Amino acid sequence: MIDLWFGIIAFLWTGYFVLEGFDFGVGLLSPFVSRDGDEQRQSLQTIGPVWDGNEVWLITAVGAMFAAFPAWYAGVFSTFYLPVVLVLVGLIMRGVGLEWRGKVADPGWCDLGIVVGSALPAFLWGAVFANLVLGSALAAVVGGLFTLALCVLHGAVFLALRTDGPVRRRARVAALAAGAVTLPLAVVALSGLAFGRAGRAGDAGGVGGMSGLSGAVEAGAAFDARSVPALAAVGALAAAVALIWRRREGWAFAATATAIALTSVSVFTALRVAPLPGLTLAEAASGPYTMTMLTWIGLIALPFVLLYQGWTYWVFRKRVGVTRQPAPQPAAY
């Protein structure tokens, strides 16, 4: 039951990173791939029907952590209290900007809120999880820069997939430029993720009761398990850049989504050994009765959520074109 719920939480976080990743990227890129208000409205319309639904994945993931692993939840969100608060501030700024942009005379402040509100979570979530896995400030900075660049690439590919006209062409150029930045960062960040945790995993395992050879074996197993998806994520990113160069936006988007998912798998594979230093999953978990109740609730609710969100993406699957607003006419006297 403990492994089942850890897997569910990892799945929820992965869904959040994949879906909100392109939301953040579109929010960051929309002022730069657009030349006027109509084109910027076209860019933001690609995420208009889905961005608030994508945030539900975060709420569900955090709620599942609180219910299934309260000690892990308490440790993470107390240790990283300030970054998490800044993430919430960014999400509020982005939500206000998206909702109010079409209701104010001068949308400049809304556009700034969308950019800043997209950049903060994109950087800070990477910093939090890199620090959680590797335990250093340098890892947090590299992890944050990597996830920020990855969101820009993911969002640029999504814009190229969902728009037409000049915005699509500029989004493709932005994706190629973002790929040139993201790939070197991916090599550094994911290599550190793949090869930098074995010692800490063994230490954490030792706290949980392992020592000597058994601790080394457990650390080595964690190393092998997480190195494969981390290195595969680098390959997926390289494939995404090649595919966007060949104007295969759909396959390129699948490749960037796969890279994000593989990175998340690698992170949570490392965290399974020790979700926090000195804490094992068994120590962090709720009691058997709570786990049983959560399992029944999840079996009933989760399929409906997945079906509804899948239906939403199917309904809004077509490309978004630019709609030119008529110029205001002078008042007649």
Side-chain angles (χ1 to χ4, degrees):
M1 199 72 75
I2 291 175
D3 286 337
L4 171 65
W5 271 98
F6 183 80
I8 291 173
I9 290 169
F11 171 75
L12 292 171
W13 276 106
T14 301
Y16 171 70
F17 292 141
V18 170
L19 297 176
E20 278 282 80
F22 67 76
D23 285 349
F24 295 148
V26 171
L28 284 162
L29 286 171
S30 60
F32 304 102
V33 299
S34 309
R35 294 295 179 265
D36 54 36
D38 295 329
E39 289 185 351
Q40 188 157 358
R41 186 164 46 252
Q42 177 192 13
S43 299
L44 295 176
Q45 280 177 351
T46 61
I47 62 172
V50 297
W51 69 267
D52 48 354
N54 292 341
E55 288 185 353
V56 174
W57 287 78
L58 173 63
I59 299 169
T60 309
V62 172
M65 285 180 66
F66 173 76
F69 300 99
W72 185 27
Y73 167 89
V76 169
F77 288 97
S78 59
T79 302
F80 300 102
Y81 179 80
L82 181 58
V84 170
V85 168
L86 290 176
V87 166
L88 294 177
V89 170
L91 293 177
I92 292 169
M93 292 174 64
R94 186 185 66 143
V96 170
L98 288 169
E99 291 291 345
W100 282 88
R101 190 179 186 280
K103 301 177 177 65
V104 295
D106 182 10
W109 287 105
C110 293
D111 294 337
L112 178 62
I114 293 170
V115 172
V116 175
S118 299
L120 280 174
F123 176 84
L124 289 171
W125 282 130
V128 166
F129 278 93
N131 189 281
L132 192 61
V133 172
L134 298 174
S136 72
L138 178 60
V141 172
V142 174
L145 291 175
F146 168 60
T147 53
L148 179 63
L150 183 55
C151 286
V152 172
L153 173 60
H154 196 40
V157 174
F158 183 76
L159 275 175
L161 176 65
R162 289 295 314 283
T163 59
D164 57 17
V167 171
R168 180 185 180 188
R169 293 193 296 271
R170 297 186 200 110
R172 191 183 299 118
V173 172
L176 293 172
V181 176
T182 306
L183 274 175
L185 284 171
V187 172
V188 175
L190 295 175
S191 296
L193 182 62
F195 304 119
R197 177 75 176 180
R200 290 193 64 193
D203 294 342
V207 174
M210 291 189 302
S211 60
L213 181 60
S214 61
V217 170
E218 180 67 15
F223 164 80
D224 292 339
R226 73 177 178 272
S227 62
V228 173
L231 298 178
V234 178
L237 286 173
V241 175
L243 288 164
I244 198 67
W245 175 265
R246 298 188 62 183
R247 302 173 185 267
R248 304 293 297 273
E249 293 99 340
W251 286 107
F253 181 75
T256 55
T258 300
I260 295 173
L262 289 170
T263 302
S264 180
V265 168
S266 185
V267 167
F268 281 95
T269 301
L271 292 177
R272 182 182 176 276
V273 180
L276 286 172
L279 182 71
T280 65
L281 279 180
E283 294 167 341
S286 296
Y289 179 78
T290 302
M291 288 290 196
T292 302
M293 292 300 298
L294 286 174
T295 301
W296 283 109
I297 294 171
L299 287 174
I300 295 171
L302 192 58
F304 287 100
V305 174
L306 295 175
L307 287 172
Y308 171 76
Q309 191 148 29
W311 175 79
T312 302
Y313 277 95
W314 175 258
V315 170
F316 296 101
R317 67 189 182 276
K318 294 182 179 179
R319 290 185 181 271
V320 178
V322 62
T323 303
R324 298 294 178 184
Q325 297 293 328
Q329 300 297 321
Y333 295 99

